């Protein structure tokens, strides 16, 4: 059975389409990643699925319930860890969890049992009586994950679970996420900018850009589609870079991108194409200043699907800042 299904789910803000007719289905027990650059629409999609906002059109179901018409049932079935911290810093870890348990109507004895369990899971039992304002960033994230698990959710949404954490804490959180998925059978949807994180954790990854799914597959398949080497050519001018990339496209190279006076070519085996790369440039009268070849990384896959441009296609800066502040405060 599917834990999540969306059918053409769409969200627009004042005419700006943040999520554009997305169709995905996430299987029960799956660890599913939404990978995309800033502003791609990941949080908006999660907000719709967790019933925080309504879709403009299209539908979504979570655990078999419609996110608009049966939002109470959806909420009972999910846990959410938001992108910004939503803990009350003036309360202790214990009090934060207790409050959450009360909001979810857990009776006192069950509440205590679950709090002990989830604090133990994220190794925070010894800190539970301290105010959250004394916690480190990693501890805050762990407490938030613990809170998201209080009511035994079937589906857990994690929005950027490891953003801003040090490598050790990230590894730690990855371990929890995998254990929750494998030992407790919780379906998990997480968002990330880190290809490495998505690769490490997820059964399948949807790469999202400009509100749309641009690729969806297992990490292995996504990587195999893509070649093994990247050839980086520096030219005299950015005009030359654009011209040469057009020439290469006509010559049948599939994956090319440019940035200023640099051309990036992704190829299966560089040793087989370098001579042709040079002769093609020569024939077109374009001078190559220098060339570097390196093994392609996971980030190249991400760039391949989403391009090199910085994402600034926001509605307007002020609206966006307000929204970011709101999500931080929520
Ligand atoms: N409440 C809102 N009002 C106006 N615009 C919004 C609102 N929420 C989201 N947007 C816009 O929708 C787009 C998608 O935003 P979203 O937060 O979903 O992106 P994201 O993929 O989560 O990005 P990030 O990686 O930065 O968290 C952005 O362009 C953003 O400006
Ligand atoms: Mg986001």
């Amino acid at each position: 059975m599917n834990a999540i299904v969306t059918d053409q789910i769409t969200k627009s803000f004042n005419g700006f389409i943040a999520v554009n007719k997305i169709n995905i289905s996430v299987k029960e027990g799956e660890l599913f990643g939404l990978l995309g650059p800033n502003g791609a629409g990941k949080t908006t999609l999660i907000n719709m699925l967790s019933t925080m906002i309504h879709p403009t059109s299209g539908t979504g179901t979570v655990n078999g319930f419609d996110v608009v018409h049966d939002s109470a049932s959806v909420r009972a079935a999910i846990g959410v860890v938001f992108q910004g911290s939503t803990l009350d810093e003036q309360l202790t870890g214990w009090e934060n969890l207790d409050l959450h348990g009360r909001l979810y109507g857990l009776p006192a004895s069950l509440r205590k049992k679950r709090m002990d369990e989830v604090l133990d899971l994220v190794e925070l039992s010894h800190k539970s009586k301290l105010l959250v304002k004394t916690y480190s960033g990693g501890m805050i994230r762990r407490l938030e994950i613990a809170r998201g698990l209080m009511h035994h959710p079937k589906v857990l949404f994690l929005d950027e679970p490891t953003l801003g954490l040090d490598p050790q804490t990230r590894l730690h959180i990855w371990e929890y996420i995998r254990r929750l998925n494998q030992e407790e059978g919780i379906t998990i949807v997480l968002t990330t900018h880190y290809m490495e994180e998505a690769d490490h954790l997820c059964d399948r990854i949807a790469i999202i850009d400009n509100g749309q799914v641009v690729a969806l597959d297992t990490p292995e398949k996504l990587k195999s589609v893509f070649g093994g080497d990247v050839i980086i050519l520096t030219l005299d001018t950015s005009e030359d870079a654009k011209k040469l990339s057009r020439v290469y496209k006509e010559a049948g190279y599939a994956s090319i991108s440019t940035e200023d006076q640099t051309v990036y070519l992704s190829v299966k085996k560089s040793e087989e194409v370098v001579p042709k790369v040079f002769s093609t440039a020569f024939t077109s009268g374009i001078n190559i200043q220098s060339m570097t070849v390196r093994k392609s990384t996971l980030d190249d896959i991400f760039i391949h699907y989403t391009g090199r441009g910085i994402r600034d296609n926001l509605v307007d800066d002020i609206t966006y800042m307000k929204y970011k502040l709101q999500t931080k405060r929520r």
Side-chain angles (χ1 to χ4, degrees), residues 23-291:
N23 299 317
I24 48 168
S25 43
V26 177
K27 291 179 219 115
E28 244 175 42
E30 196 169 20
L31 217 168
F32 191 89
L34 298 172
L35 178 73
N38 288 134
K42 305 179 295 293
T43 299
T44 306
L45 179 57
I46 286 204
N47 284 346
M48 288 191 282
L49 295 174
S50 58
T51 77
M52 302 299 296
I53 56 175
H54 279 182
T56 311
S57 62
T59 59
T61 57
V62 176
N63 200 31
F65 301 110
D66 185 277
V67 292
V68 176
H69 301 112
D70 225 339
S71 57
S73 307
V74 171
R75 272 182 225 162
I78 62 172
V80 192
V81 176
F82 291 107
Q83 187 163 0
S85 172
T86 57
L87 295 167
D88 190 330
E89 297 210 328
Q90 303 301 331
L91 298 180
T92 65
W94 179 270
E95 288 164 344
N96 266 287
L97 296 187
D98 191 53
L99 183 66
H100 185 81
R102 284 168 197 265
L103 284 175
Y104 269 86
L106 300 182
S109 58
L110 180 62
R111 212 158 63 223
K112 163 126 190 11
K113 179 169 170 287
R114 285 302 291 158
M115 281 158 72
D116 284 336
E117 282 171 9
V118 294
L119 282 167
D120 188 40
L121 181 74
V122 298
E123 295 168 51
L124 279 179
S125 306
H126 61 300
K127 298 276 187 186
S128 68
K129 298 287 190 274
L130 297 178
L131 292 183
V132 168
K133 68 177 178 197
T134 66
Y135 283 24
S136 73
M139 285 159 62
I140 288 178
R141 224 53 197 139
R142 274 147 61 197
L143 186 65
E144 284 186 316
I145 292 177
R147 186 179 57 175
L149 296 169
M150 277 279 291
H151 54 285
H152 259 312
K154 281 190 162 328
V155 179
L156 182 64
F157 293 102
L158 299 169
D159 199 359
E160 310 273 357
T162 65
L163 194 67
L165 302 180
D166 66 33
Q168 288 87 341
T169 311
R170 261 174 93 194
L171 281 177
H172 231 64
I173 298 226
W174 286 359
E175 246 170 62
Y176 295 132
I177 294 174
R178 208 169 311 100
R179 268 176 54 198
L180 290 172
N181 176 246
Q182 286 172 3
E183 291 171 21
E184 310 227 354
I186 299 175
T187 307
I188 297 180
V189 176
L190 65 87
T191 76
T192 181
H193 308 132
Y194 305 123
M195 183 72 207
E196 181 202 353
E197 177 160 290
D199 179 38
H200 194 80
L201 285 175
C202 298
D203 299 320
R204 284 189 306 151
I205 301 171
I207 301 182
I208 313 245
D209 197 21
N210 294 319
Q212 290 180 306
V213 175
V214 291
L216 197 169
D217 220 320
T218 62
E220 290 67 37
K221 285 259 181 59
L222 286 173
K223 282 188 280 186
S224 71
V225 170
F226 209 59
D229 296 324
V230 182
I231 301 175
I232 303 163
L233 301 167
T234 308
L235 310 175
D236 294 334
T237 62
S238 58
E239 284 69 41
D240 275 0
K242 285 192 196 106
K243 187 172 164 203
L244 190 61
S245 91
R246 273 197 302 275
V247 174
Y248 285 151
K249 245 173 221 147
E250 281 158 20
Y253 294 97
S255 182
I256 309 162
S257 62
T258 62
E259 189 181 35
D260 300 330
Q261 63 210 68
T262 310
V263 174
Y264 300 80
L265 274 179
S266 294
V267 297
K268 291 260 184 256
K269 284 189 181 158
S270 57
E271 59 271 28
E272 288 172 7
V273 292
V274 163
K276 186 150 171 256
V277 160
F278 271 99
S279 63
T280 308
F282 183 77
T283 321
S284 316
I286 294 170
N287 177 43
I288 294 177
Q289 279 188 9
S290 70
M291 181 194 76

Side-chain angles (χ1 to χ4, degrees), residues 11-14 16-19 34-47 53 83 159-160 163 191-193 208 210-211 311-317 319-324 326-327:
K11 181 73 191 178
S12 53
F13 299 104
N14 309 324
F16 172 83
I17 303 172
V19 168
L34 298 172
L35 178 73
N38 288 134
K42 305 179 295 293
T43 299
T44 306
L45 179 57
I46 286 204
N47 284 346
I53 56 175
Q83 187 163 0
D159 199 359
E160 310 273 357
L163 194 67
T191 76
T192 181
H193 308 132
I208 313 245
N210 294 319
R311 298 318 145 116
D312 51 6
N313 52 351
L314 310 169
V315 193
D316 64 62
D317 290 350
T319 320
Y320 188 62
M321 282 310 291
K322 276 195 199 143
Y323 149 76
K324 282 279 167 189
Q326 266 167 19
T327 46

